[in-house]
Amino acid sequence: MTKLHFQYDKTQFTDEQNEVIARALEVARVAHDGQLRGSGEPYLIHPIAVAKIVAEWGLDFEAVAAALLHDVIEDTPTTVEQIKEQFGGSIAGLVDGVTKLDLSNWPKHPEADSNRREISNENLRKLLLATAKDYRVIMVKLADRLHNLRTLEFLPSDKQLRIGRESLEIFAPIADRLGMGSLKAEMEDLSFRYSQPEEYKKIVRLVKEATQKSAQYVTRLQQDIIRLLREGGVTPMSVEGRQKHYYSIYKKLIKLDGHMEKMYDLTAMRILVPEVADCYHVLGVLHQHYKPLIYRIKDYIAVPKPNGYQSLHTTVFALDGDITEIQIRTPEMHEEAERGLSAHFYYDQHKASAAYAKGHGAAKLPNKLSWVSDLANLQQLAHGQDFLEGARLELFTGRIFVFSPRGDIYELPEGSTPLDFAFAVHSDVGLRAMGARVNGRLENRDVVEILTRREASPSRDWLNFVKTQTAKNRIRSWFRAASREGNIVSGRATLEAELKVLTRGGLADLPVRQVNDALDHLHVRSSDDLLAAIGEGSLGVAQAIRRLVPGAAKPASVPVVKRAASTGRILIEGDQLPYTLAPCCNPVFPQPVVGYVTRGTGVTVHSLSCRNLPSDAERYVDCRWETTPEPMERLACHLEVKAMNRVGLLSDITGVIAKHQFNIGHLASDAGDHGEETLVTFVVEVPDLFVLADLIRQLGTVSGVLAVRRAD
Ligand code: MN
């Protein structure tokens, strides 16, 4: 058998570096000796191809050596320690990073499928963590995956399907986020071809038909553009028709409900000019001759995409009024768009190599790709599923781009809220957020202004709707770090408020012995511990009070009434028929009621004393409150509500009580028509005082209400 060679551009490395690469090749050769690929070729072909891709991307010699060795740990008896001895920690770290977990001890799941998902999740987690430490890991992995996709035809169809899907879901999006446009396109098309063979064929056929018709058109347009630009005084470096890749056509077609004719950018023209100023010049010339679709002019030069992409895009009515997309950019922008992170590596290679040589380990990322290092933050909270959900969300879901009022651009997962934005700006902004000049979910290109207060005052409720892991972490850790003193203060406020309703006294008024008994029962050491627990939410206030004040729910001091209770329903002429409660008087049990038949809407039930009762007596129907067959015990509590006088106040107050179907009586208000403040008093019959405490809280939220207290 002929000996396989690794041909690459040796001039990009020093002699010593090429020496290391040669040693790596020999180690791989020995380790993989006798192994074959699915195609029947020697296995060594694969690591050599991967190393070639890595070298072409312009990565350093360590990455190239690691690419040659990338499968030896997984597929041969060679160990990480051996690689470390022979090649040092840096190369060994890279090889280890791309190596899947040793799953020989992995617990077997009853269902093979979920087992596989779990395994692939764990592998992804390991890969991302390694990438967070050294992003060359992901580059070697992407090269590995690319070559596997290029040779996918030799694998059985179930593997084609799985590898194709995984690449579409995970690796192509990563390539995209690294700005590597051509890698992303190639990976997507290969994955598409093998994971959805039927759709792939359909798209290839559609595109073939569409482009045959348009080939001639593209040539004519090309010549027309070159002529227009010359006349306008610009000499383009190239004007070319460029076809969208299959998978992006497929995705676009789904969005367009299959209407191929609406796809304006199936073939786009791409114009390269030497300088940034030329780009705008070209745009001006084109718009003089071809009318643009105004909402499709995009200036990604002034506002690059977060992955670094720059270009001017415009869609115009070109020759014969045909709608065509045109992209204008400089060669540098083009290089960046196609190669992304690898372009950086290419340019900065010597600098980067010097950094490794000095033993600094991983290279510094270009700033705009700092999201890769955000993975390191995820690592801090990483426990299995949490980490993966976070990582998946941060990396692979749809992204939107929003702006601060100063024009800074932020990238967030779709469905993010203004709070997510606030935390993305700075955790301090998030914690002090009190509102935003945008409501609800953020849309692409929203400009978001966060209103803040002076002190941090986050709410636990935020955890229920923020989308980003960053926001969740910051909120959680704030609460964790919130001082014990703070928890004690807020715990005391909560407990005292509740005690005031129940016992009309405070914590200090309770017998010491009773308090100590309660602490014992609740397994807390001191009353401070008790208050802190209530403050941080680990102990419910009602639970604490049941121990602190046995019998608090039904104290002997409150009169007990026994009477039929309302079921909350109203019977119309003795029957259960549909009705609505009149919003003008909001009748509550046991107020006498009457029904009024409205054409089309049925029966509206008013309080008999309602001033809005219509005079049309013929349309009245007999109504009464339905009651429980057995009388029930209730506590009759006097409440006083102090409020600003306003129209509708009484009905709002009784409305809150009606919602709970509590009886209400002795309703009185001292309000003169001119008084500013009013005192509303009534007796409400409730099952116990815990319920009363809750009711008092709700009454406190009625607009205009200043204070609510028990008056007996
Ligand atoms: Mn491999």
Side-chain angles (χ1 to χ4, degrees):
M1 195 183 284
T2 52
K3 198 175 169 185
L4 285 170
H5 290 286
F6 172 33
Q7 273 147 0
Y8 64 103
D9 177 10
K10 290 198 169 64
T11 63
Q12 51 184 327
F13 305 118
T14 66
D15 288 350
E16 297 84 61
Q17 293 175 341
N18 284 318
E19 179 63 27
V20 174
I21 292 172
R23 274 202 291 130
L25 177 64
E26 290 319 307
V27 168
R29 191 190 303 281
V30 173
H32 290 297
D33 186 38
Q35 292 180 340
L36 296 180
R37 296 207 86 209
S39 59
E41 297 166 304
Y43 193 90
L44 190 61
I45 282 194
H46 170 64
I48 287 180
V50 175
K52 202 165 158 63
I53 295 170
V54 167
E56 278 167 11
W57 282 347
L59 272 86
D60 67 330
F61 78 101
E62 290 184 334
V64 176
L68 287 166
L69 297 167
H70 82 270
D71 273 333
V72 300
I73 300 179
E74 208 167 304
D75 299 338
T76 81
T78 314
T79 63
V80 189
E81 287 68 32
Q82 287 169 333
I83 296 194
K84 195 169 173 184
E85 271 168 34
Q86 296 180 46
F87 296 95
S90 189
I91 290 177
L94 288 171
V95 175
D96 187 40
V98 288
T99 300
K100 289 185 187 146
L101 292 164
D102 176 13
L103 297 172
S104 47
N105 297 320
W106 196 255
K108 285 280 175 285
H109 232 264
E111 279 178 70
D113 209 39
S114 83
N115 204 24
R116 163 158 324 138
R117 204 169 310 134
E118 210 170 305
I119 289 170
S120 85
N121 272 351
E122 277 309 306
N123 280 325
L124 177 61
R125 169 182 149 86
K126 177 170 184 274
L127 178 71
L128 292 177
L129 292 182
T131 300
K133 286 193 216 124
D134 184 341
Y135 75 104
R136 292 175 296 172
V137 168
I138 196 69
M139 304 293 277
V140 175
K141 186 71 197 182
L142 286 171
D144 175 33
R145 182 51 64 114
L146 178 62
H147 185 247
N148 283 336
L149 285 170
R150 282 177 179 168
T151 52
L152 207 53
E153 58 179 310
F154 300 108
L155 292 187
S157 63
D158 62 321
K159 277 198 171 174
Q160 290 180 343
L161 205 70
R162 184 170 59 77
I163 294 175
R165 261 192 211 142
E166 193 184 53
S167 304
L168 273 185
E169 271 177 23
I170 294 168
F171 294 103
I174 290 180
D176 184 38
R177 304 229 39 217
L178 293 170
M180 301 169 76
S182 62
L183 173 65
K184 174 202 166 208
E186 185 178 354
M187 281 188 140
E188 282 190 343
D189 276 359
L190 286 167
S191 309
F192 181 37
R193 179 166 156 201
Y194 292 108
S195 64
Q196 288 154 276
E198 289 310 312
E199 284 87 345
Y200 178 79
K201 277 182 215 150
K202 202 178 120 195
I203 294 292
V204 171
R205 204 180 54 238
L206 276 173
V207 169
K208 207 172 159 195
E209 285 165 14
T211 48
Q212 266 167 4
K213 271 183 271 170
S214 68
Q216 218 195 344
Y217 170 78
V218 169
T219 313
R220 275 175 57 215
L221 183 58
Q222 203 176 14
Q223 289 162 356
D224 201 47
I225 289 176
I226 292 174
R227 181 181 58 80
L228 290 175
L229 292 183
R230 291 244 165 87
E231 286 170 16
V234 214
T235 312
M237 299 165 77
S238 73
V239 177
E240 271 162 25
R242 150 238 165 236
Q243 192 202 298
K244 228 178 162 72
H245 70 284
Y246 293 127
Y247 188 66
S248 68
I249 292 172
Y250 170 71
K251 277 196 301 187
K252 187 82 178 264
L253 207 54
I254 291 175
K255 260 194 205 162
L256 296 174
D257 288 328
H259 292 287
M260 195 73 171
E261 70 279 4
K262 285 192 197 156
M263 188 141 14
Y264 305 135
D265 48 0
L266 185 62
T267 307
M269 300 302 292
R270 184 177 290 151
I271 303 174
L272 291 190
V273 283
E275 303 290 333
V276 172
D278 299 329
C279 293
Y280 292 98
H281 190 169
V282 167
L283 187 74
V285 171
L286 292 176
H287 284 181
Q288 277 174 41
H289 295 88
Y290 308 137
K291 197 181 273 300
L293 270 73
I294 196 76
Y295 57 91
R296 291 188 49 128
I297 303 170
K298 288 169 192 152
D299 186 349
Y300 293 124
I301 293 179
V303 185
K305 289 187 182 178
N307 69 2
Y309 178 87
Q310 286 189 300
S311 263
L312 296 178
H313 288 194
T314 184
T315 303
V316 298
F317 294 93
L319 292 180
D320 314 328
D322 264 5
I323 298 174
T324 309
E325 187 186 85
I326 301 176
Q327 304 175 347
I328 308 156
R329 53 173 79 151
T330 65
E332 289 75 26
M333 293 173 194
H334 184 63
E335 182 81 355
E336 174 87 33
E338 295 292 309
R339 298 170 57 102
L341 183 54
S342 61
H344 280 273
F345 232 127
Y346 201 72
Y347 297 135
D348 298 346
Q349 203 215 313
H350 292 295
K351 250 189 284 170
S353 298
Y356 301 143
K358 279 184 209 142
H360 289 317
K364 280 269 180 291
L365 281 168
N367 252 348
K368 60 190 155 198
L369 294 169
S370 63
W371 61 269
V372 175
S373 49
D374 286 350
L375 287 174
N377 298 334
L378 281 175
Q379 184 181 11
Q380 293 166 358
L381 68 129
H383 295 301
Q385 218 48 33
D386 252 13
F387 168 81
L388 271 161
E389 270 165 34
R392 272 185 195 281
L393 192 76
E394 298 286 335
L395 289 175
F396 312 131
T397 55
R399 315 293 292 186
I400 54 166
F401 307 126
V402 295
F403 298 87
S404 75
R406 279 174 31 203
D408 297 330
I409 190 166
Y410 290 86
E411 187 188 14
L412 293 167
E414 255 175 78
S416 290
T417 63
L419 265 178
D420 291 297
F421 170 83
F423 279 100
V425 172
H426 195 281
S427 69
D428 187 47
V429 176
L431 292 169
R432 292 188 297 122
M434 55 181 276
R437 292 218 198 276
V438 160
N439 288 320
R441 290 197 171 170
L442 298 180
E443 305 278 348
N444 226 352
R445 289 167 208 288
D446 271 346
V447 175
V448 192
E449 184 182 353
I450 298 294
L451 311 173
T452 53
R453 40 181 141 235
R454 277 174 47 195
E455 302 289 331
S457 161
S459 151
R460 274 174 214 283
D461 294 339
W462 290 1
L463 289 170
N464 297 328
F465 57 82
V466 294
K467 180 98 178 168
T468 50
Q469 207 57 46
T470 314
K472 281 191 181 145
N473 296 339
R474 302 271 149 83
I475 295 167
R476 284 208 191 101
S477 64
W478 191 88
F479 278 105
R480 224 174 294 134
S483 67
R484 179 177 151 83
E485 280 66 39
N487 283 334
I488 292 176
V489 169
S490 80
R492 182 184 296 279
T494 311
L495 182 66
E496 295 281 2
E498 202 93 348
L499 280 175
K500 205 165 156 198
V501 173
L502 295 162
T503 67
R504 312 188 59 211
L507 186 57
D509 302 320
L510 296 175
V512 177
R513 193 172 176 145
Q514 200 171 310
V515 174
N516 287 338
D517 279 357
L519 296 181
D520 276 355
H521 270 113
L522 294 164
H523 306 292
V524 288
R525 265 172 296 168
S526 63
S527 23
D528 274 0
D529 282 359
L530 177 82
L531 296 173
I534 294 173
E536 69 172 39
S538 58
L539 176 68
V541 65
Q543 197 188 345
I545 287 183
R546 274 191 198 102
R547 291 295 179 188
L548 285 168
V549 197
K554 294 188 178 170
S557 59
V558 181
V560 176
V561 289
K562 253 188 150 186
R563 72 165 117 226
S566 163
T567 62
R569 271 193 304 268
I570 286 170
L571 298 176
I572 316 282
E573 306 205 300
D575 273 330
Q576 288 188 5
L577 296 172
Y579 62 90
T580 46
L581 288 178
C584 47
C585 53
N586 237 331
V588 282
F589 184 80
Q591 285 178 334
V593 284
V594 65
Y596 182 78
V597 182
T598 320
R599 267 194 207 100
T601 54
V603 178
T604 308
V605 176
H606 291 261
S607 141
L608 201 53
S609 59
C610 179
R611 279 191 234 160
N612 293 332
L613 267 184
S615 54
D616 191 353
E618 279 173 23
R619 297 222 223 138
Y620 284 127
V621 286
D622 181 41
C623 288
R624 64 179 174 83
W625 293 92
E626 188 184 58
T627 50
T628 52
E630 296 296 322
M632 293 171 78
E633 274 192 7
R634 294 290 161 118
L635 302 178
C637 304
H638 284 264
L639 289 191
E640 276 182 13
V641 179
K642 198 162 90 178
M644 300 303 292
N645 201 8
R646 66 172 173 85
V647 176
L649 177 70
L650 275 187
S651 133
D652 284 352
I653 290 174
T654 56
V656 169
I657 296 160
K659 234 181 18 207
H660 294 272
Q661 296 151 25
F662 299 146
N663 293 358
I664 182 172
H666 306 288
L667 184 64
S669 161
D670 71 348
D673 281 344
H674 312 291
E676 289 208 326
E677 273 185 23
T678 177
L679 193 67
V680 180
T681 59
F682 52 90
V683 174
V684 63
E685 294 172 9
V686 292
D688 62 49
L689 290 193
F690 290 119
V691 173
L692 182 69
D694 191 45
L695 181 67
I696 286 177
R697 259 195 304 277
Q698 290 180 41
L699 288 170
T701 66
V702 169
S703 161
V705 167
L706 303 170
V708 184
R709 66 180 202 95
R710 261 178 76 193
D712 46 13

